[in-house]
Amino acid sequence: MKITGVELRTIRMPLKSPFETSFGVEEERVAVLIRVVATVPEGGTAEVSRHDHHSAETQGWGACVAMELPLYSSEYADGAAEVLRRFLVPKLLAETTAGRDVTAELVDPLLEPIIGHRMAKAALEMAVLDAQLQGSGQSLAGYFGATRTTVPSGVSVGIQPSVHALLDVVGDYLAEGHVRIKLKIKPGWDIAPVEAVRDRFGDQLLLQVDANAAYTLADARVLRKLDAFDLLLIEQPLPEDDIRQHAELARLITTPICLDESVVSVRAAADAIALRACQVINIKAGRVGGYLNARRIHDLCQANGIPVWCGGMVETGLGRAANAALAALPGFTLPGDISASDRFYDQDITEPFVLDDGQIEVPTGPGIGVRPIQDVLDRFTISTEWIQAT
Ligand code: SMG
Ligand code: MG
């Protein structure tokens, strides 16, 4: 593929209701989207192009999971846009200028000299991968070698004003068909809400909690009380760089520890497994630098007997589609944070993902399998810029 140019677009979308976690309250989703325009040789193979210079245009969409503020991770939307425009996109376009082809598989090595900024890199790789698969007609799930056609839908439930309000909200999500409940917790909102949900909805409910790094090892005695509620897991109880302390905590509690924020790369996943810092891993492509690394972590975990599930970052339909394809891989043995689009949005920028008997359908069309609805996209857009290959 030769890249013609890249569009960076920032959108701002209202959430249906505020989403509160241990680190803050989100009322809107600000996100950077990427559209890559490229040409592929007609017929799809380099073979053909040698004799025939006709080429077809293809477009790919990527979405950056970085939030408006650097509270979940060090990356944030405007920072991601800046690193994309100044460093990452120019590296990609320089390949075209030099007459070299770009493939999705080359994006990560090409961007490696730039340190960090994994969410920005992941978004660019996603757009190139989508463009490439649009060109070849293959679905992302097919590219991954995914085995399922639907994935079970779990929902992440924000911190509520009261336990009473929480029980109502959880009841509504279960009535919609979501098959697993994740409660956001923080010091002071942990044991009581978990106990109330377990009491009300019974032992069969698939229930887990996510602390978003809000505790320290000194809280082990409180966290131990969660052992009584037969949780699937506790997600990221301690800070991102506390891998060793997670290993210590794992010796003090029986609830399986799942890492989210700490797993920023394939290497970090390998370390966490080797140090026994977690028994489960939440895979988010954005957090680990892209869907190809996400796939590698899946493979690593599968080889080590570590169950994985697909995390969520309040995605629009673009990211939700790609996540569904990833979660269709066989190592994803736990339901992920892939809820219906209307869990967050009254109006999504793609056709909405809906629940069918608690399942989300894995897209089968080329690439990520969904496209933005142009007028809806424009309505939520706050800025766009076009960066042309020279
Ligand atoms: O997309 O369903 C979703 C959100 C899932 O809880 C969720 N994500 O730490 O796992 C996590 C959080 C990160 C984003 S919170 C604003
Ligand atoms: Mg999490």
mmCIF file with all atom_site columns, all heavy atoms in Angstrom, residues 277-300:
data_model
loop_
_atom_site.group_PDB
_atom_site.id
_atom_site.type_symbol
_atom_site.label_atom_id
_atom_site.label_alt_id
_atom_site.label_comp_id
_atom_site.label_asym_id
_atom_site.label_entity_id
_atom_site.label_seq_id
_atom_site.pdbx_PDB_ins_code
_atom_site.Cartn_x
_atom_site.Cartn_y
_atom_site.Cartn_z
_atom_site.occupancy
_atom_site.B_iso_or_equiv
_atom_site.pdbx_formal_charge
_atom_site.auth_seq_id
_atom_site.auth_comp_id
_atom_site.auth_asym_id
_atom_site.auth_atom_id
_atom_site.pdbx_PDB_model_num
ATOM 1   N N   . ALA A 1 277 ? 2.060  -11.987 39.310 1.00 0.00 ? 277 ALA A N   1
ATOM 2   C CA  . ALA A 1 277 ? 1.381  -10.767 39.753 1.00 0.00 ? 277 ALA A CA  1
ATOM 3   C C   . ALA A 1 277 ? -0.090 -10.774 39.364 1.00 0.00 ? 277 ALA A C   1
ATOM 4   O O   . ALA A 1 277 ? -0.858 -9.932  39.821 1.00 0.00 ? 277 ALA A O   1
ATOM 5   C CB  . ALA A 1 277 ? 2.063  -9.540  39.152 1.00 0.00 ? 277 ALA A CB  1
ATOM 6   N N   . CYS A 1 278 ? -0.477 -11.685 38.477 1.00 0.00 ? 278 CYS A N   1
ATOM 7   C CA  . CYS A 1 278 ? -1.889 -11.751 38.067 1.00 0.00 ? 278 CYS A CA  1
ATOM 8   C C   . CYS A 1 278 ? -2.221 -13.166 37.621 1.00 0.00 ? 278 CYS A C   1
ATOM 9   O O   . CYS A 1 278 ? -1.351 -13.908 37.182 1.00 0.00 ? 278 CYS A O   1
ATOM 10  C CB  . CYS A 1 278 ? -2.172 -10.767 36.939 1.00 0.00 ? 278 CYS A CB  1
ATOM 11  S SG  . CYS A 1 278 ? -1.252 -11.121 35.423 1.00 0.00 ? 278 CYS A SG  1
ATOM 12  N N   . GLN A 1 279 ? -3.508 -13.497 37.734 1.00 0.00 ? 279 GLN A N   1
ATOM 13  C CA  . GLN A 1 279 ? -3.983 -14.796 37.240 1.00 0.00 ? 279 GLN A CA  1
ATOM 14  C C   . GLN A 1 279 ? -4.819 -14.613 35.979 1.00 0.00 ? 279 GLN A C   1
ATOM 15  O O   . GLN A 1 279 ? -5.219 -15.593 35.347 1.00 0.00 ? 279 GLN A O   1
ATOM 16  C CB  . GLN A 1 279 ? -4.816 -15.510 38.302 1.00 0.00 ? 279 GLN A CB  1
ATOM 17  C CG  . GLN A 1 279 ? -3.996 -15.963 39.516 1.00 0.00 ? 279 GLN A CG  1
ATOM 18  C CD  . GLN A 1 279 ? -4.289 -15.116 40.741 1.00 0.00 ? 279 GLN A CD  1
ATOM 19  O OE1 . GLN A 1 279 ? -4.048 -13.916 40.750 1.00 0.00 ? 279 GLN A OE1 1
ATOM 20  N NE2 . GLN A 1 279 ? -4.820 -15.745 41.779 1.00 0.00 ? 279 GLN A NE2 1
ATOM 21  N N   . VAL A 1 280 ? -5.135 -13.356 35.648 1.00 0.00 ? 280 VAL A N   1
ATOM 22  C CA  . VAL A 1 280 ? -5.977 -13.025 34.497 1.00 0.00 ? 280 VAL A CA  1
ATOM 23  C C   . VAL A 1 280 ? -5.434 -11.733 33.901 1.00 0.00 ? 280 VAL A C   1
ATOM 24  O O   . VAL A 1 280 ? -4.870 -10.909 34.631 1.00 0.00 ? 280 VAL A O   1
ATOM 25  C CB  . VAL A 1 280 ? -7.456 -12.794 34.938 1.00 0.00 ? 280 VAL A CB  1
ATOM 26  C CG1 . VAL A 1 280 ? -8.348 -12.480 33.748 1.00 0.00 ? 280 VAL A CG1 1
ATOM 27  C CG2 . VAL A 1 280 ? -8.014 -13.976 35.720 1.00 0.00 ? 280 VAL A CG2 1
ATOM 28  N N   . ILE A 1 281 ? -5.597 -11.553 32.585 1.00 0.00 ? 281 ILE A N   1
ATOM 29  C CA  . ILE A 1 281 ? -5.192 -10.280 31.969 1.00 0.00 ? 281 ILE A CA  1
ATOM 30  C C   . ILE A 1 281 ? -6.340 -9.701  31.144 1.00 0.00 ? 281 ILE A C   1
ATOM 31  O O   . ILE A 1 281 ? -7.038 -10.416 30.424 1.00 0.00 ? 281 ILE A O   1
ATOM 32  C CB  . ILE A 1 281 ? -3.901 -10.444 31.128 1.00 0.00 ? 281 ILE A CB  1
ATOM 33  C CG1 . ILE A 1 281 ? -2.693 -10.604 32.077 1.00 0.00 ? 281 ILE A CG1 1
ATOM 34  C CG2 . ILE A 1 281 ? -3.681 -9.256  30.177 1.00 0.00 ? 281 ILE A CG2 1
ATOM 35  C CD1 . ILE A 1 281 ? -1.344 -10.756 31.389 1.00 0.00 ? 281 ILE A CD1 1
ATOM 36  N N   . ASN A 1 282 ? -6.523 -8.394  31.328 1.00 0.00 ? 282 ASN A N   1
ATOM 37  C CA  . ASN A 1 282 ? -7.464 -7.604  30.518 1.00 0.00 ? 282 ASN A CA  1
ATOM 38  C C   . ASN A 1 282 ? -6.646 -7.083  29.336 1.00 0.00 ? 282 ASN A C   1
ATOM 39  O O   . ASN A 1 282 ? -5.631 -6.410  29.534 1.00 0.00 ? 282 ASN A O   1
ATOM 40  C CB  . ASN A 1 282 ? -7.995 -6.463  31.407 1.00 0.00 ? 282 ASN A CB  1
ATOM 41  C CG  . ASN A 1 282 ? -8.620 -5.302  30.632 1.00 0.00 ? 282 ASN A CG  1
ATOM 42  O OD1 . ASN A 1 282 ? -8.282 -5.032  29.485 1.00 0.00 ? 282 ASN A OD1 1
ATOM 43  N ND2 . ASN A 1 282 ? -9.515 -4.580  31.280 1.00 0.00 ? 282 ASN A ND2 1
ATOM 44  N N   . ILE A 1 283 ? -7.069 -7.422  28.124 1.00 0.00 ? 283 ILE A N   1
ATOM 45  C CA  . ILE A 1 283 ? -6.345 -6.945  26.931 1.00 0.00 ? 283 ILE A CA  1
ATOM 46  C C   . ILE A 1 283 ? -7.105 -5.777  26.305 1.00 0.00 ? 283 ILE A C   1
ATOM 47  O O   . ILE A 1 283 ? -8.284 -5.882  25.988 1.00 0.00 ? 283 ILE A O   1
ATOM 48  C CB  . ILE A 1 283 ? -6.165 -8.081  25.892 1.00 0.00 ? 283 ILE A CB  1
ATOM 49  C CG1 . ILE A 1 283 ? -5.350 -9.233  26.497 1.00 0.00 ? 283 ILE A CG1 1
ATOM 50  C CG2 . ILE A 1 283 ? -5.456 -7.543  24.640 1.00 0.00 ? 283 ILE A CG2 1
ATOM 51  C CD1 . ILE A 1 283 ? -5.027 -10.363 25.528 1.00 0.00 ? 283 ILE A CD1 1
ATOM 52  N N   . LYS A 1 284 ? -6.390 -4.660  26.186 1.00 0.00 ? 284 LYS A N   1
ATOM 53  C CA  . LYS A 1 284 ? -6.915 -3.498  25.455 1.00 0.00 ? 284 LYS A CA  1
ATOM 54  C C   . LYS A 1 284 ? -5.884 -3.159  24.390 1.00 0.00 ? 284 LYS A C   1
ATOM 55  O O   . LYS A 1 284 ? -4.732 -2.840  24.728 1.00 0.00 ? 284 LYS A O   1
ATOM 56  C CB  . LYS A 1 284 ? -7.062 -2.285  26.385 1.00 0.00 ? 284 LYS A CB  1
ATOM 57  C CG  . LYS A 1 284 ? -8.170 -2.403  27.415 1.00 0.00 ? 284 LYS A CG  1
ATOM 58  C CD  . LYS A 1 284 ? -8.183 -1.173  28.316 1.00 0.00 ? 284 LYS A CD  1
ATOM 59  C CE  . LYS A 1 284 ? -9.284 -1.304  29.370 1.00 0.00 ? 284 LYS A CE  1
ATOM 60  N NZ  . LYS A 1 284 ? -9.140 -0.290  30.434 1.00 0.00 ? 284 LYS A NZ  1
ATOM 61  N N   . ALA A 1 285 ? -6.292 -3.186  23.146 1.00 0.00 ? 285 ALA A N   1
ATOM 62  C CA  . ALA A 1 285 ? -5.340 -2.955  22.057 1.00 0.00 ? 285 ALA A CA  1
ATOM 63  C C   . ALA A 1 285 ? -4.677 -1.586  22.195 1.00 0.00 ? 285 ALA A C   1
ATOM 64  O O   . ALA A 1 285 ? -3.471 -1.450  21.985 1.00 0.00 ? 285 ALA A O   1
ATOM 65  C CB  . ALA A 1 285 ? -6.052 -3.080  20.717 1.00 0.00 ? 285 ALA A CB  1
ATOM 66  N N   . GLY A 1 286 ? -5.440 -0.579  22.553 1.00 0.00 ? 286 GLY A N   1
ATOM 67  C CA  . GLY A 1 286 ? -4.880 0.765   22.661 1.00 0.00 ? 286 GLY A CA  1
ATOM 68  C C   . GLY A 1 286 ? -3.766 0.846   23.688 1.00 0.00 ? 286 GLY A C   1
ATOM 69  O O   . GLY A 1 286 ? -2.724 1.463   23.464 1.00 0.00 ? 286 GLY A O   1
ATOM 70  N N   . ARG A 1 287 ? -3.985 0.195   24.822 1.00 0.00 ? 287 ARG A N   1
ATOM 71  C CA  . ARG A 1 287 ? -3.020 0.254   25.929 1.00 0.00 ? 287 ARG A CA  1
ATOM 72  C C   . ARG A 1 287 ? -1.700 -0.426  25.595 1.00 0.00 ? 287 ARG A C   1
ATOM 73  O O   . ARG A 1 287 ? -0.663 -0.096  26.150 1.00 0.00 ? 287 ARG A O   1
ATOM 74  C CB  . ARG A 1 287 ? -3.675 -0.413  27.142 1.00 0.00 ? 287 ARG A CB  1
ATOM 75  C CG  . ARG A 1 287 ? -3.085 -0.095  28.490 1.00 0.00 ? 287 ARG A CG  1
ATOM 76  C CD  . ARG A 1 287 ? -3.666 -1.051  29.533 1.00 0.00 ? 287 ARG A CD  1
ATOM 77  N NE  . ARG A 1 287 ? -3.327 -2.419  29.194 1.00 0.00 ? 287 ARG A NE  1
ATOM 78  C CZ  . ARG A 1 287 ? -4.160 -3.473  29.260 1.00 0.00 ? 287 ARG A CZ  1
ATOM 79  N NH1 . ARG A 1 287 ? -5.400 -3.323  29.693 1.00 0.00 ? 287 ARG A NH1 1
ATOM 80  N NH2 . ARG A 1 287 ? -3.763 -4.671  28.889 1.00 0.00 ? 287 ARG A NH2 1
ATOM 81  N N   . VAL A 1 288 ? -1.734 -1.401  24.678 1.00 0.00 ? 288 VAL A N   1
ATOM 82  C CA  . VAL A 1 288 ? -0.535 -2.206  24.384 1.00 0.00 ? 288 VAL A CA  1
ATOM 83  C C   . VAL A 1 288 ? 0.071  -1.865  23.019 1.00 0.00 ? 288 VAL A C   1
ATOM 84  O O   . VAL A 1 288 ? 0.908  -2.602  22.508 1.00 0.00 ? 288 VAL A O   1
ATOM 85  C CB  . VAL A 1 288 ? -0.836 -3.720  24.477 1.00 0.00 ? 288 VAL A CB  1
ATOM 86  C CG1 . VAL A 1 288 ? -1.372 -4.053  25.872 1.00 0.00 ? 288 VAL A CG1 1
ATOM 87  C CG2 . VAL A 1 288 ? -1.818 -4.201  23.412 1.00 0.00 ? 288 VAL A CG2 1
ATOM 88  N N   . GLY A 1 289 ? -0.366 -0.758  22.432 1.00 0.00 ? 289 GLY A N   1
ATOM 89  C CA  . GLY A 1 289 ? 0.253  -0.311  21.180 1.00 0.00 ? 289 GLY A CA  1
ATOM 90  C C   . GLY A 1 289 ? -0.346 -0.897  19.924 1.00 0.00 ? 289 GLY A C   1
ATOM 91  O O   . GLY A 1 289 ? 0.247  -0.758  18.850 1.00 0.00 ? 289 GLY A O   1
ATOM 92  N N   . GLY A 1 290 ? -1.490 -1.541  20.027 1.00 0.00 ? 290 GLY A N   1
ATOM 93  C CA  . GLY A 1 290 ? -2.170 -1.958  18.799 1.00 0.00 ? 290 GLY A CA  1
ATOM 94  C C   . GLY A 1 290 ? -2.755 -3.362  18.858 1.00 0.00 ? 290 GLY A C   1
ATOM 95  O O   . GLY A 1 290 ? -2.488 -4.135  19.784 1.00 0.00 ? 290 GLY A O   1
ATOM 96  N N   . TYR A 1 291 ? -3.569 -3.647  17.834 1.00 0.00 ? 291 TYR A N   1
ATOM 97  C CA  . TYR A 1 291 ? -4.248 -4.947  17.772 1.00 0.00 ? 291 TYR A CA  1
ATOM 98  C C   . TYR A 1 291 ? -3.272 -6.092  17.517 1.00 0.00 ? 291 TYR A C   1
ATOM 99  O O   . TYR A 1 291 ? -3.536 -7.230  17.911 1.00 0.00 ? 291 TYR A O   1
ATOM 100 C CB  . TYR A 1 291 ? -5.385 -4.924  16.732 1.00 0.00 ? 291 TYR A CB  1
ATOM 101 C CG  . TYR A 1 291 ? -6.598 -4.218  17.293 1.00 0.00 ? 291 TYR A CG  1
ATOM 102 C CD1 . TYR A 1 291 ? -6.788 -2.854  17.100 1.00 0.00 ? 291 TYR A CD1 1
ATOM 103 C CD2 . TYR A 1 291 ? -7.513 -4.899  18.077 1.00 0.00 ? 291 TYR A CD2 1
ATOM 104 C CE1 . TYR A 1 291 ? -7.862 -2.190  17.662 1.00 0.00 ? 291 TYR A CE1 1
ATOM 105 C CE2 . TYR A 1 291 ? -8.591 -4.258  18.653 1.00 0.00 ? 291 TYR A CE2 1
ATOM 106 C CZ  . TYR A 1 291 ? -8.773 -2.905  18.437 1.00 0.00 ? 291 TYR A CZ  1
ATOM 107 O OH  . TYR A 1 291 ? -9.831 -2.258  19.015 1.00 0.00 ? 291 TYR A OH  1
ATOM 108 N N   . LEU A 1 292 ? -2.144 -5.801  16.888 1.00 0.00 ? 292 LEU A N   1
ATOM 109 C CA  . LEU A 1 292 ? -1.193 -6.895  16.631 1.00 0.00 ? 292 LEU A CA  1
ATOM 110 C C   . LEU A 1 292 ? -0.504 -7.302  17.934 1.00 0.00 ? 292 LEU A C   1
ATOM 111 O O   . LEU A 1 292 ? -0.312 -8.496  18.198 1.00 0.00 ? 292 LEU A O   1
ATOM 112 C CB  . LEU A 1 292 ? -0.186 -6.509  15.546 1.00 0.00 ? 292 LEU A CB  1
ATOM 113 C CG  . LEU A 1 292 ? -0.795 -6.098  14.189 1.00 0.00 ? 292 LEU A CG  1
ATOM 114 C CD1 . LEU A 1 292 ? 0.288  -5.982  13.131 1.00 0.00 ? 292 LEU A CD1 1
ATOM 115 C CD2 . LEU A 1 292 ? -1.868 -7.082  13.735 1.00 0.00 ? 292 LEU A CD2 1
ATOM 116 N N   . ASN A 1 293 ? -0.148 -6.311  18.763 1.00 0.00 ? 293 ASN A N   1
ATOM 117 C CA  . ASN A 1 293 ? 0.396  -6.654  20.087 1.00 0.00 ? 293 ASN A CA  1
ATOM 118 C C   . ASN A 1 293 ? -0.672 -7.307  20.958 1.00 0.00 ? 293 ASN A C   1
ATOM 119 O O   . ASN A 1 293 ? -0.364 -8.207  21.752 1.00 0.00 ? 293 ASN A O   1
ATOM 120 C CB  . ASN A 1 293 ? 0.938  -5.412  20.790 1.00 0.00 ? 293 ASN A CB  1
ATOM 121 C CG  . ASN A 1 293 ? 2.306  -5.019  20.270 1.00 0.00 ? 293 ASN A CG  1
ATOM 122 O OD1 . ASN A 1 293 ? 3.024  -5.851  19.705 1.00 0.00 ? 293 ASN A OD1 1
ATOM 123 N ND2 . ASN A 1 293 ? 2.663  -3.756  20.450 1.00 0.00 ? 293 ASN A ND2 1
ATOM 124 N N   . ALA A 1 294 ? -1.892 -6.855  20.828 1.00 0.00 ? 294 ALA A N   1
ATOM 125 C CA  . ALA A 1 294 ? -2.987 -7.465  21.600 1.00 0.00 ? 294 ALA A CA  1
ATOM 126 C C   . ALA A 1 294 ? -3.081 -8.953  21.261 1.00 0.00 ? 294 ALA A C   1
ATOM 127 O O   . ALA A 1 294 ? -3.211 -9.803  22.147 1.00 0.00 ? 294 ALA A O   1
ATOM 128 C CB  . ALA A 1 294 ? -4.305 -6.759  21.284 1.00 0.00 ? 294 ALA A CB  1
ATOM 129 N N   . ARG A 1 295 ? -2.969 -9.235  19.960 1.00 0.00 ? 295 ARG A N   1
ATOM 130 C CA  . ARG A 1 295 ? -2.997 -10.617 19.491 1.00 0.00 ? 295 ARG A CA  1
ATOM 131 C C   . ARG A 1 295 ? -1.814 -11.422 20.084 1.00 0.00 ? 295 ARG A C   1
ATOM 132 O O   . ARG A 1 295 ? -1.965 -12.569 20.498 1.00 0.00 ? 295 ARG A O   1
ATOM 133 C CB  . ARG A 1 295 ? -2.954 -10.575 17.962 1.00 0.00 ? 295 ARG A CB  1
ATOM 134 C CG  . ARG A 1 295 ? -2.617 -11.844 17.245 1.00 0.00 ? 295 ARG A CG  1
ATOM 135 C CD  . ARG A 1 295 ? -3.869 -12.661 17.121 1.00 0.00 ? 295 ARG A CD  1
ATOM 136 N NE  . ARG A 1 295 ? -3.581 -14.034 17.453 1.00 0.00 ? 295 ARG A NE  1
ATOM 137 C CZ  . ARG A 1 295 ? -3.769 -15.045 16.628 1.00 0.00 ? 295 ARG A CZ  1
ATOM 138 N NH1 . ARG A 1 295 ? -4.279 -14.824 15.449 1.00 0.00 ? 295 ARG A NH1 1
ATOM 139 N NH2 . ARG A 1 295 ? -3.506 -16.258 17.007 1.00 0.00 ? 295 ARG A NH2 1
ATOM 140 N N   . ARG A 1 296 ? -0.643 -10.782 20.142 1.00 0.00 ? 296 ARG A N   1
ATOM 141 C CA  . ARG A 1 296 ? 0.541  -11.457 20.706 1.00 0.00 ? 296 ARG A CA  1
ATOM 142 C C   . ARG A 1 296 ? 0.348  -11.755 22.190 1.00 0.00 ? 296 ARG A C   1
ATOM 143 O O   . ARG A 1 296 ? 0.767  -12.798 22.693 1.00 0.00 ? 296 ARG A O   1
ATOM 144 C CB  . ARG A 1 296 ? 1.794  -10.595 20.515 1.00 0.00 ? 296 ARG A CB  1
ATOM 145 C CG  . ARG A 1 296 ? 2.213  -10.486 19.062 1.00 0.00 ? 296 ARG A CG  1
ATOM 146 C CD  . ARG A 1 296 ? 3.509  -9.675  18.888 1.00 0.00 ? 296 ARG A CD  1
ATOM 147 N NE  . ARG A 1 296 ? 3.715  -9.462  17.469 1.00 0.00 ? 296 ARG A NE  1
ATOM 148 C CZ  . ARG A 1 296 ? 3.537  -8.307  16.831 1.00 0.00 ? 296 ARG A CZ  1
ATOM 149 N NH1 . ARG A 1 296 ? 3.222  -7.211  17.516 1.00 0.00 ? 296 ARG A NH1 1
ATOM 150 N NH2 . ARG A 1 296 ? 3.706  -8.218  15.530 1.00 0.00 ? 296 ARG A NH2 1
ATOM 151 N N   . ILE A 1 297 ? -0.266 -10.814 22.919 1.00 0.00 ? 297 ILE A N   1
ATOM 152 C CA  . ILE A 1 297 ? -0.501 -11.050 24.354 1.00 0.00 ? 297 ILE A CA  1
ATOM 153 C C   . ILE A 1 297 ? -1.517 -12.183 24.528 1.00 0.00 ? 297 ILE A C   1
ATOM 154 O O   . ILE A 1 297 ? -1.369 -13.033 25.417 1.00 0.00 ? 297 ILE A O   1
ATOM 155 C CB  . ILE A 1 297 ? -0.950 -9.741  25.049 1.00 0.00 ? 297 ILE A CB  1
ATOM 156 C CG1 . ILE A 1 297 ? 0.207  -8.733  25.030 1.00 0.00 ? 297 ILE A CG1 1
ATOM 157 C CG2 . ILE A 1 297 ? -1.403 -10.021 26.484 1.00 0.00 ? 297 ILE A CG2 1
ATOM 158 C CD1 . ILE A 1 297 ? -0.124 -7.377  25.619 1.00 0.00 ? 297 ILE A CD1 1
ATOM 159 N N   . HIS A 1 298 ? -2.503 -12.199 23.671 1.00 0.00 ? 298 HIS A N   1
ATOM 160 C CA  . HIS A 1 298 ? -3.459 -13.319 23.678 1.00 0.00 ? 298 HIS A CA  1
ATOM 161 C C   . HIS A 1 298 ? -2.723 -14.650 23.529 1.00 0.00 ? 298 HIS A C   1
ATOM 162 O O   . HIS A 1 298 ? -2.941 -15.595 24.280 1.00 0.00 ? 298 HIS A O   1
ATOM 163 C CB  . HIS A 1 298 ? -4.481 -13.134 22.549 1.00 0.00 ? 298 HIS A CB  1
ATOM 164 C CG  . HIS A 1 298 ? -5.217 -14.389 22.174 1.00 0.00 ? 298 HIS A CG  1
ATOM 165 N ND1 . HIS A 1 298 ? -4.722 -15.302 21.252 1.00 0.00 ? 298 HIS A ND1 1
ATOM 166 C CD2 . HIS A 1 298 ? -6.385 -14.906 22.602 1.00 0.00 ? 298 HIS A CD2 1
ATOM 167 C CE1 . HIS A 1 298 ? -5.571 -16.309 21.138 1.00 0.00 ? 298 HIS A CE1 1
ATOM 168 N NE2 . HIS A 1 298 ? -6.587 -16.104 21.942 1.00 0.00 ? 298 HIS A NE2 1
ATOM 169 N N   . ASP A 1 299 ? -1.808 -14.704 22.565 1.00 0.00 ? 299 ASP A N   1
ATOM 170 C CA  . ASP A 1 299 ? -1.088 -15.953 22.298 1.00 0.00 ? 299 ASP A CA  1
ATOM 171 C C   . ASP A 1 299 ? -0.201 -16.343 23.493 1.00 0.00 ? 299 ASP A C   1
ATOM 172 O O   . ASP A 1 299 ? -0.142 -17.506 23.882 1.00 0.00 ? 299 ASP A O   1
ATOM 173 C CB  . ASP A 1 299 ? -0.214 -15.817 21.037 1.00 0.00 ? 299 ASP A CB  1
ATOM 174 C CG  . ASP A 1 299 ? -1.051 -15.589 19.777 1.00 0.00 ? 299 ASP A CG  1
ATOM 175 O OD1 . ASP A 1 299 ? -2.302 -15.724 19.845 1.00 0.00 ? 299 ASP A OD1 1
ATOM 176 O OD2 . ASP A 1 299 ? -0.464 -15.261 18.728 1.00 0.00 ? 299 ASP A OD2 1
ATOM 177 N N   . LEU A 1 300 ? 0.482  -15.331 24.048 1.00 0.00 ? 300 LEU A N   1
ATOM 178 C CA  . LEU A 1 300 ? 1.342  -15.561 25.219 1.00 0.00 ? 300 LEU A CA  1
ATOM 179 C C   . LEU A 1 300 ? 0.525  -16.111 26.382 1.00 0.00 ? 300 LEU A C   1
ATOM 180 O O   . LEU A 1 300 ? 0.931  -17.075 27.058 1.00 0.00 ? 300 LEU A O   1
ATOM 181 C CB  . LEU A 1 300 ? 1.995  -14.231 25.622 1.00 0.00 ? 300 LEU A CB  1
ATOM 182 C CG  . LEU A 1 300 ? 2.774  -14.213 26.928 1.00 0.00 ? 300 LEU A CG  1
ATOM 183 C CD1 . LEU A 1 300 ? 4.173  -14.783 26.708 1.00 0.00 ? 300 LEU A CD1 1
ATOM 184 C CD2 . LEU A 1 300 ? 2.868  -12.791 27.487 1.00 0.00 ? 300 LEU A CD2 1
#
